[in-house]
């Protein structure tokens, strides 16, 4: 917790809900919408970071961590929120509903045991992806690097249990949202819906409702309280004064960090677009995950502290691959040349890119470079030395405008280029015995965290977020076709009975559902693959609630 937050005598209690106003980064003030019982806290740069987790956004392991906002006991009794109906408790014991001291002791015992267990499983090397995967005999060092990148990606790809935990979490949240607001539904976007998540990545969700009336401060508080009361959420933060108001919390059982936004569909569109990109851009997943991990281990991935967020990384790597001269001329196969491509990426964005003058355009999904001067929407520019990437879904939006720490990001990329090329030269000149057990990639990527295995089990368990997003888009397409046919039908033949659609139309919808089934099969993989969708993962997801 930051020192400044500790001074906030009114808000601190053993169990605070933190209300953040990210508009002002270093001030705190009363919530202007009249909920004076809440104090807005500043954003805390370092808070919650834990090298042992593998990701900034999800710093905790069950039973091993303190909440990211540590209560200030000496201030608790002065807390004016105590007893307030709007007050949402924060502590672990409140969350689990246990208050007896015996139970507390037992809890502590269990915590200790879990802690020891987890500590035993922490990796002992900084580059665990090379364990039992030795490529030191490769003649070309670039091929060695490529193979290491592939191993790294396998290493951090999710296990069955991780996918199931995410699926169950989504279902639980959906049920909670629906029980509070029957006209609403919860949809998932971001890295879980694109399969571009690191082990500790958060899950981005959005609540959409038929009445489209949930994006207001009181709804945010309502949902926060409801999730707290249902023992689903802990470490809740209500961030209500930003362009995109959100609730952030940790799901109690899975300890996954969740972001919930309201009444928006752009994230659902972006998820579909990114999955299409992944299907058509070999090497995109591998490079995105490497760059994500690279920035994460340097704490340069958090937009709130000027870092480069996941969405910007995806767009940056996608545009890079689509404009790489040796790829567009079919000179190289990206998947077989990930090593060279990674080094080139670090060189371009660490040494050569003209941040002052060049923006990255994504108009119509076609990446190109754009003169910053010509992109009028980003003017006036406070700092020309900045990364500017056009939102593929809205060409007026610069998705990397928050990444104000581009100087450090650039420096890190340049350093990675130097480290990697030096390592390549060093190992190229080394003897076989000197090479054994060495890592090329380990010179710039580190992984500290729970021990994992190399099995990428994404083809064994359905990712609910992807399925539901496919379903959402399929239903949306059908609705558009249906609406268009309806409009045509009404204007041409106003006598058509709207209750009973014509036979032709019925046939078409059958065809569509066949197409949908095929599409879902594609998502699921081959027919012979065994899938697991646990009973408690099923829920009444409604892709039409938007
Ligand atoms: N600056 C932005 N402007 C518009 N939409 C954004 C912006 N940043 C994020 N988004 C939306 O939120 C989604 C999630 O963004 P985020 O940066 O969390 O990426 P991510 O793929 O979820 O990565 P991570 O695993 O690091 O969380 C994006 O896919 C996009 O739809
Ligand atoms: Mg995310």
């Amino acid at each position: 917790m930051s020192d400044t937050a500790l001074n906030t005598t009114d808000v601190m209690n053993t169990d605070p809900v933190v209300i953040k106003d990210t508009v002002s980064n270093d001030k705190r003030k009363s919530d202007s919408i009249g909920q004076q019982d809440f104090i807005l806290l500043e954003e805390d740069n370092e808070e919650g970071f834990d090298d042992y987790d593998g990701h900034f956004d999800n710093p905790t392991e069950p039973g091993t961590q303190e909440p990211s906002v540590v209560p200030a006991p000496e201030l608790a009794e002065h807390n004016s929120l105590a007893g307030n109906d709007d007050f949402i408790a924060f502590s672990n014991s409140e969350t689990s509903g246990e208050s007896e001291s015996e139970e507390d002791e037992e809890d502590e015992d269990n915590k200790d045991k879990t802690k020891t267990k987890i500590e035993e499983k922490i990796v002992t090397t900084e580059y665990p992806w090379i364990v039992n995967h030795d490529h030191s005999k490769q003649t070309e060092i670039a091929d060695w690097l490529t193979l290491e990148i592939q191993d790294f990606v396998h290493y951090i790809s999710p296990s069955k249990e991780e996918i199931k935990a995410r699926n169950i979490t989504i279902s639980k949240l959906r049920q909670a949202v629906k029980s509070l607001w029957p006209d609403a539904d919860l949809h998932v976007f971001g890295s879980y819906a694109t399969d571009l998540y690191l082990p500790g990545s958060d899950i981005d969700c959005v609540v959409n409702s038929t009445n489209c009336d949930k994006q207001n401060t009181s709804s945010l508080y309502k949902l926060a309280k409801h999730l707290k009361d249902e023992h689903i959420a802990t470490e809740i933060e209500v961030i209500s004064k930003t362009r995109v108001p959100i609730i952030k919390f940790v799901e109690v059982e899975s300890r996954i960090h969740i972001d919930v936004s309201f009444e928006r569909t752009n994230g659902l569109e972006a998820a579909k677009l990114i999955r299409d990109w992944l299907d058509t851009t070999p090497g995109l997943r591998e490079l995105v995950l490497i760059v994500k991990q690279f920035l994460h281990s340097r704490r340069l991935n958090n937009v709130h502290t000027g870092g480069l967020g996941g969405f910007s990384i995806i767009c940056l790597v996608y545009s890079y691959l689509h404009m790489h001269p040796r790829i567009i001329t079919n000179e190289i196969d990206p998947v077989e040349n990930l090593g060279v491509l990674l080094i080139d990426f670090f060189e371009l964005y660490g040494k050569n890119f003209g941040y002052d003058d060049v923006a990255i355009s994504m108009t119509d999904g076609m990446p190109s470079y754009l003169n910053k001067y010509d992109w009028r929407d980003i003017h006036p520019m406070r700092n020309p030395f900045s990364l500017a990437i056009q939102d593929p879904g809205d060409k007026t939006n610069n998705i990397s405008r928050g990444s104000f720490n581009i100087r450090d990001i650039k420096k890190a990329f340049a350093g990675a280029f130097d480290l990697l090329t030096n390592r390549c030269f060093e190992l190229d000149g080394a003897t076989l015995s000197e090479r054994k057990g060495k890592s090329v990639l380990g010179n710039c990527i580190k992984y500290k965290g729970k021990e994992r295995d190399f099995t990428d089990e994404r083809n064994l368990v359905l990712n609910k977020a992807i399925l539901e997003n496919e379903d959402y888009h399929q239903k949306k397409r059908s609705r558009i076709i249906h609406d268009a046919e309806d409009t045509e039908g009404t204007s041409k033949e106003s006598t058509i009975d709207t209750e009973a659609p014509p036979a032709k139309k019925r046939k078409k919808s059958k065809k569509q559902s066949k197409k949908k089934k095929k599409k879902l099969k594609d998502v699921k993989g081959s027919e012979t693959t065994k899938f697991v969708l646990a009973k408690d993962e099923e829920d009444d997801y409604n892709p039409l609630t938007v």
Side-chain angles (χ1 to χ4, degrees):
M1 182 184 193
S2 68
D3 293 343
T4 43
L6 269 169
N7 294 331
T8 315
T9 49
D10 277 346
V11 79
M12 295 319 292
N13 180 282
T14 42
D15 299 320
V17 164
V18 181
I19 317 297
K20 285 190 179 178
D21 181 355
T22 47
V23 170
S24 80
N25 225 16
D26 53 7
K27 288 192 189 98
R28 81 196 71 96
K29 49 188 173 183
S30 296
D31 190 333
S32 62
I33 54 96
Q35 307 218 16
Q36 290 87 352
D37 284 334
F38 294 98
I39 304 289
L40 305 175
L41 297 186
E42 65 171 347
E43 287 285 84
D44 189 339
N45 300 358
E46 298 292 306
E47 205 169 274
F49 184 84
D50 177 13
D51 272 340
Y52 280 89
D53 183 78
H55 197 268
F56 180 89
D57 297 313
N58 193 12
T60 49
E61 284 297 342
T64 62
Q65 297 284 322
E66 292 301 319
S68 66
V69 177
V70 183
E74 72 275 21
L75 301 175
E77 56 189 285
H78 303 298
N79 192 323
S80 62
L81 290 178
N84 184 316
D85 279 346
D86 282 337
F87 172 67
I88 301 163
F90 195 80
S91 77
N92 291 338
S93 57
E94 274 267 340
T95 304
S96 61
E98 292 166 356
S99 55
E100 299 295 325
S101 59
E102 265 177 41
E103 276 168 329
D104 283 351
E105 262 172 41
E106 215 172 276
D107 234 29
E108 281 308 311
D109 273 4
N110 289 338
K111 262 187 203 171
D112 283 348
K113 275 178 210 156
T114 328
K115 205 169 183 175
T116 323
K117 236 174 160 182
I118 286 166
E119 273 166 6
E120 276 167 11
K121 286 188 183 169
I122 297 297
V123 289
T124 48
T125 158
E126 286 185 325
Y127 28 93
W129 61 91
I130 71 159
V131 176
N132 300 327
H133 289 69
D134 181 37
H135 304 296
S136 60
K137 289 189 181 136
Q138 288 294 319
T139 326
E140 292 290 333
I141 306 293
D143 291 340
W144 181 351
L145 181 55
T146 296
L147 292 167
E148 265 199 54
I149 292 172
Q150 285 164 349
D151 287 343
F152 174 83
V153 171
H154 272 121
Y155 188 77
I156 50 108
S157 287
S159 66
K160 276 193 298 204
E161 286 66 33
E162 284 167 327
I163 304 169
K164 276 195 233 170
R166 282 173 179 259
N167 286 347
I168 290 168
T169 302
I170 296 172
S171 295
K172 222 193 265 179
L173 292 175
R174 172 167 302 122
Q175 272 164 20
V177 166
K178 286 189 159 189
S179 72
L180 178 66
W181 295 314
D183 75 316
D185 205 342
L186 178 116
H187 303 77
V188 180
F189 63 103
S191 59
Y192 187 46
T194 56
D195 252 349
L196 288 172
Y197 54 101
L198 291 175
S201 282
D202 62 0
I203 299 182
D204 299 288
C205 306
V206 57
V207 168
N208 286 303
S209 66
T210 318
N211 296 327
C212 218
D213 57 357
K214 308 291 184 282
Q215 191 184 303
N216 53 66
T217 311
S218 92
S219 295
L220 261 69
Y221 288 126
K222 227 185 222 175
L223 181 61
K225 182 171 184 338
H226 180 64
L227 293 172
K228 176 69 198 172
D229 292 346
E230 296 287 308
H231 308 301
I232 289 172
T234 184
E235 299 175 44
I236 306 167
E237 298 168 22
V238 179
I239 305 171
S240 64
K241 296 278 176 63
T242 42
R243 200 172 57 94
V244 182
I246 56 168
I247 302 178
K248 283 171 103 67
F249 57 88
V250 176
E251 198 275 319
V252 169
E253 219 163 305
S254 62
R255 302 297 300 175
I256 295 171
H257 278 230
I258 312 284
D259 276 11
V260 182
S261 52
F262 297 82
E263 310 292 9
R264 318 177 70 80
T265 54
N266 58 341
L268 302 174
E269 303 297 334
K272 170 76 182 144
L273 181 71
I274 293 166
R275 282 202 313 280
D276 289 347
W277 287 357
L278 287 163
D279 286 346
T280 54
T281 316
L284 180 61
R285 181 163 191 270
E286 291 85 344
L287 289 185
V288 164
L289 291 174
I290 291 279
V291 175
K292 265 190 169 183
Q293 179 67 22
F294 171 82
L295 290 172
H296 161 255
S297 58
R298 285 159 180 78
R299 304 179 185 198
L300 289 170
N301 66 327
N302 188 344
V303 181
H304 295 125
T305 54
L308 203 57
F311 192 35
S312 295
I313 296 172
I314 295 163
C315 292
L316 193 64
V317 176
Y318 175 75
S319 66
Y320 163 75
L321 289 173
H322 279 269
M323 290 191 282
H324 193 288
R326 296 179 70 191
I327 296 178
I328 52 182
T329 54
N330 284 328
E331 201 185 310
I332 57 168
D333 176 344
V335 178
E336 283 171 15
N337 290 277
L338 292 168
V340 168
L341 289 171
L342 182 66
I343 292 176
D344 278 359
F345 177 89
F346 285 142
E347 186 178 30
L348 174 61
Y349 288 104
K351 300 200 175 220
N352 299 328
F353 189 72
Y355 289 90
D356 288 309
D357 307 306
V358 185
I360 293 163
S361 162
M362 306 292 283
T363 311
D364 302 324
M366 286 301 294
S368 61
Y369 291 126
L370 172 73
N371 188 332
K372 271 185 170 178
Y373 180 80
D374 294 332
W375 187 6
R376 304 314 297 171
D377 302 293
I378 58 171
H379 292 270
M381 265 187 291
R382 258 198 294 171
N383 181 7
F385 182 72
S386 60
L387 188 59
I389 305 173
Q390 230 170 30
D391 185 337
D394 171 9
K395 58 182 176 187
T396 65
N397 181 29
N398 172 12
I399 62 166
S400 55
R401 72 188 170 284
S403 304
F404 57 82
N405 194 9
I406 205 67
R407 209 163 286 278
D408 284 349
I409 294 167
K410 180 178 187 269
K411 234 188 262 171
F413 286 160
F417 172 78
D418 292 340
L419 285 168
L420 275 181
T421 44
N422 286 342
R423 186 66 160 173
C424 287
F425 281 124
E426 178 196 327
L427 290 174
D428 197 38
T431 63
L432 269 182
S433 64
E434 282 168 339
R435 286 177 173 205
K436 207 164 165 38
K438 298 269 168 30
S439 167
V440 188
L441 185 64
N443 236 25
C444 72
I445 303 277
K446 306 266 181 282
Y447 178 86
K448 293 181 185 174
K450 249 174 61 180
E451 204 172 83
R452 310 177 55 80
D453 56 33
F454 284 84
T455 42
D456 176 351
E457 295 183 323
R458 286 174 303 139
N459 59 345
L460 295 183
V461 183
L462 296 170
N463 173 326
K464 262 180 80 113
I466 296 184
L467 275 178
E468 291 173 355
N469 191 259
E470 281 294 331
D471 211 29
Y472 162 83
H473 285 283
Q474 178 66 34
K475 293 259 165 51
K476 198 178 125 189
R477 269 195 300 272
S478 309
R479 218 168 22 177
I480 292 167
I481 294 168
H482 188 265
D483 286 354
E485 282 177 353
D486 269 1
T487 322
E488 256 175 46
T490 342
S491 58
K492 278 184 197 158
E493 291 183 49
S494 52
T495 51
I496 285 179
D497 178 4
T498 50
E499 290 297 308
K504 208 174 169 193
K505 209 187 259 179
R506 268 205 297 268
K507 223 175 180 177
K508 185 160 192 181
S509 66
K510 241 186 193 174
K511 227 186 201 172
Q512 276 169 353
S513 74
K514 225 179 188 179
K515 218 170 156 192
K516 184 184 134 195
K517 268 186 200 150
K518 187 188 172 304
K519 182 93 194 174
L520 291 183
K521 211 172 87 186
D522 289 346
V523 176
K524 292 170 191 174
S526 77
E527 271 178 307
T528 49
T529 315
K530 191 174 155 248
F531 293 106
V532 185
L533 190 58
K535 188 88 198 105
D536 47 2
E537 288 173 37
E538 289 167 13
D539 58 25
D540 50 345
Y541 173 74
N542 179 7
L544 287 174
T545 318
V546 288

